Amino acid sequence: MDILITEDLQAPAIDRLAERFQVVRDPAMWKDAAKLKAALAEARTVMVRNQTQLTAELLAAAPKLLGIGRVGVGLDNIHLATASERGVVVIAPLSANAVSVAELALGLMLALARKIPLADVSTKGGGWDRRGCTGIELFGKSIAICGFGRIGKMVADRARAFGMKIVVFDPFVKKEAHSTSWAEIDFCTKLEDALAQADFVSVHTPLTPETKHCFNERAFAAMRRGAFFINTSRGGVVDEAALLHALKTHHLGGAGLDVREVEPPPQPGPLALLDNVILLPHVGAFTHEAQTRTFEAVCRDLQRVLEGQPAIDFVNFPEPISEGRATRVPD
Ligand code: NAD
């Protein structure tokens, strides 16, 4: 079989692939380990979202496998080392949803600054509390962007358009690399220095041992009184108890969280009781455009792999693949 789809994935790009290749779809296969193993043993490529666990053991038992297409970001469900060892290319178009996440971060900032959720609830409840809905402008305020990668840079572009002053904390990005386009940005070498200058803090780092709970009591204390905190990265970067404390003591002006330490949280919890907190169910990438872009890129690359061409959006080969070199030529 050419393409195995083990989760509920549907898109016009898949339908087009099905006209050219043998596609086997079973939206519930990810739940049945034995069935998954048997199907993978025959598959040349597999397409997954985040439910299918492609463990080292399963990949070792998939001798025909050439490529894995991951729809979405996060690679925790794929044993990358085994895939690489076995010459299986892992396709994950990591940039496909960056605009959507960046726009959501700006959306959370605007919603907090102008108290949009509060104003909506109050007006729908029959109120007309214009004074109570008085907010602040983004214009002239400063934003600290923590993590200056794909999404962080897009947030900076958009914040600049709003007339904000930008400070960045990212130990792996050097200002020289951006000397022309980012001339006015202040790159801080210490997180606390960036936080102390900002009216808004937006987090765009990966979750690593270094970033786990890096937004803790100390970091929140370093933020300006009344500042707003936005997290669309990974929930684990925030110590939620420390955030709750900073909000309840009115040290912070508000928070917008798309991601949580535990997803979904077992209960709405105490953060949900605060008027100045916006909670979203990890929807940063959930726009029609981002979903379409992701499916198009994954399907394009699965087709390329099946036809012996190199994938374009791959993640498990450290060196860029030179033109014309297939990651692994099919038998
Ligand atoms: P990226 O890899 O392009 O950028 C991450 C940046 O963080 C890099 O520049 C890196 O140098 C920096 N970084 C690493 N460790 C750091 C540290 N200790 N302190 C400060 N900076 C550090 O990643 P991206 O595509 O921009 O994604 C950013 C985050 O957004 C990730 O956590 C990703 O999982 C998350 N994300 C969330 C959604 C969503 O639905 N909310 C969707 C896509 C991505």
Side-chain angles (χ1 to χ4, degrees), residues 101 148-151 170-172 204-206 211 232 234 258 282 284-285:
V101 182
F148 202 55
R150 283 176 289 263
I151 299 171
D170 188 325
F172 305 102
H204 304 287
T205 62
T211 60
T232 55
R234 284 289 178 261
D258 184 40
H282 201 150

Side-chain angles (χ1 to χ4, degrees), residues 140 202 207:
S202 193
L207 178 61

Side-chain angles (χ1 to χ4, degrees), residues 73-74 94-95 97-98 101 104 145-153 169-173 191 203-208 210-211 214 231-234 237 258-259 282-286:
V73 292
L94 301 179
S95 302
N97 56 27
V101 182
L104 186 70
I145 297 176
C146 182
F148 202 55
R150 283 176 289 263
I151 299 171
K153 288 190 184 101
F169 171 72
D170 188 325
F172 305 102
V173 176
L191 174 64
V203 189
H204 304 287
T205 62
L207 178 61
T208 64
E210 290 75 40
T211 60
C214 73
N231 186 18
T232 55
S233 64
R234 284 289 178 261
V237 305
D258 184 40
V259 287
H282 201 150
V283 289
F286 278 66

Side-chain angles (χ1 to χ4, degrees), residues 265-324:
Q267 279 114 30
L271 283 167
L273 299 174
L274 303 180
D275 282 345
N276 54 351
V277 172
I278 301 174
L279 300 176
L280 303 178
H282 201 150
V283 289
F286 278 66
T287 61
H288 295 296
E289 292 85 348
Q291 299 291 310
T292 303
R293 240 180 259 130
T294 303
F295 274 112
E296 291 291 337
V298 168
C299 290
R300 173 205 64 207
D301 275 357
L302 287 181
Q303 176 169 344
R304 287 176 69 90
V305 168
L306 286 166
E307 290 174 345
Q309 300 292 315
I312 293 169
D313 280 316
F314 56 92
V315 289
N316 62 333
F317 289 92
E319 297 298 322
I321 291 176
S322 60
E323 202 161 336

